[in-house]
Amino acid sequence: PAQGRLAGRHILVTAGPTHEPIDPVRYIANRSSGKQGFAIAGALAALGARVTLVAGPVALATPPGVTRVDVETAREMAAAAAAALPADAAVMVAAVADWRTEATGQKIKKDGKGPPMLTLTENPDILATIAGDARRPPLVIGFAAETGDMIEHAIAKRARKGADWIVANDVSGDVMGGDDNSVHIVTAQGVEHWDRMPKDQVAARLAERIADAL
Ligand code: C5P
């Protein structure tokens, strides 16, 4: 059996972007390397947790000891996350596309009649759904990538989505795809400011913080 502070715990992590197909060759997506989410999954597993990592399309190796479920769209991610319950904690790091469109089976051609109109439909909010589930994990953590008024937005997001913690990160610099991150942890107790550090270290500290809370 696994050893460590999180031995016997099951933790759900979502990571990466989702891709919403427009046609067989095009899609709508958010910018996300998946690095921070994969690092968190690995750090939780290193503390002995059983980790289910629901991953959107990314080019990353599965961290040791992590069970990975690959998905493409937000709706697939929502289904895989729900199927992973029950869990002791959920860490929703994925950059889920907010909208999808009705994909066509054939490639849309440039026909000289101008660009096609895309009708967008809102995707399910996976974090809010998990936070409101009858089998809600005791600890639900969301992320907030913001470019301004970060803390205010994170506090509002925490309430709106029913999360216990929001990890706010400022993505106005070179955080996207980079190896460092600068985060602030928003909880019911207040806001903790963490120094800028490598994403692996953010992950290790967050995993310890989760172990403290469970
Ligand atoms: O609303 P916003 O996208 O800024 O919220 C970010 C948080 O919500 C992240 O934890 C993200 O994983 C989660 N989220 C989600 N499903 C969505 C949109 C966001 O789980 N459709």
Side-chain angles (χ1 to χ4, degrees):
Q3 306 220 318
R5 298 186 67 202
L6 287 171
R9 304 296 195 170
H10 176 221
I11 303 185
L12 163 67
V13 179
T14 66
T18 64
H19 285 182
E20 312 298 329
I22 296 171
D23 68 14
V25 301
R26 305 182 179 96
Y27 59 79
I28 300 169
N30 279 28
R31 211 180 275 285
S32 171
S33 66
K35 281 182 188 173
Q36 186 64 81
F38 272 59
I40 289 167
L44 292 165
L47 292 186
R50 182 164 73 81
V51 178
T52 303
L53 171 61
V54 180
V58 293
L60 292 174
T62 308
V66 167
T67 302
R68 174 173 178 175
V69 181
D70 283 312
V71 298
E72 186 184 355
T73 68
R75 285 187 293 176
E76 288 168 8
M77 186 173 277
L85 298 181
D88 296 290
V91 192
M92 315 301 272
V93 198
V96 181
D98 292 304
W99 307 284
R100 67 173 180 276
T101 188
E102 195 70 50
T104 60
Q106 300 288 313
K107 183 181 173 186
I108 301 171
K109 304 301 288 180
K110 285 171 283 184
D111 59 5
K113 291 184 214 141
M117 295 290 286
L118 296 181
T119 304
L120 300 180
T121 305
E122 202 156 312
N123 269 331
D125 191 309
I126 304 164
L127 168 58
T129 304
I130 294 285
D133 195 278
R135 293 188 297 167
R136 183 192 194 281
L139 181 62
V140 175
I141 304 171
F143 270 64
E146 305 285 353
T147 53
D149 300 324
M150 212 181 15
I151 303 300
E152 257 170 74
H153 282 130
I155 290 169
K157 193 161 293 183
R158 182 180 168 276
R160 190 169 68 244
K161 303 211 182 199
D164 297 298
W165 305 350
I166 292 284
V167 180
N169 56 329
D170 187 350
V171 294
S172 55
D174 53 1
V175 161
M176 287 288 186
D179 290 320
D180 284 355
N181 206 352
S182 166
V183 306
H184 312 272
I185 314 293
V186 177
T187 72
Q189 277 71 47
V191 185
E192 263 175 52
H193 303 279
W194 290 8
D195 288 337
R196 184 185 169 99
M197 62 184 98
K199 287 179 178 175
D200 282 350
Q201 252 168 268
V202 170
R205 267 184 76 165
L206 192 65
E208 294 288 352
R209 194 79 167 57
I210 290 168
D212 292 343
L214 291 182

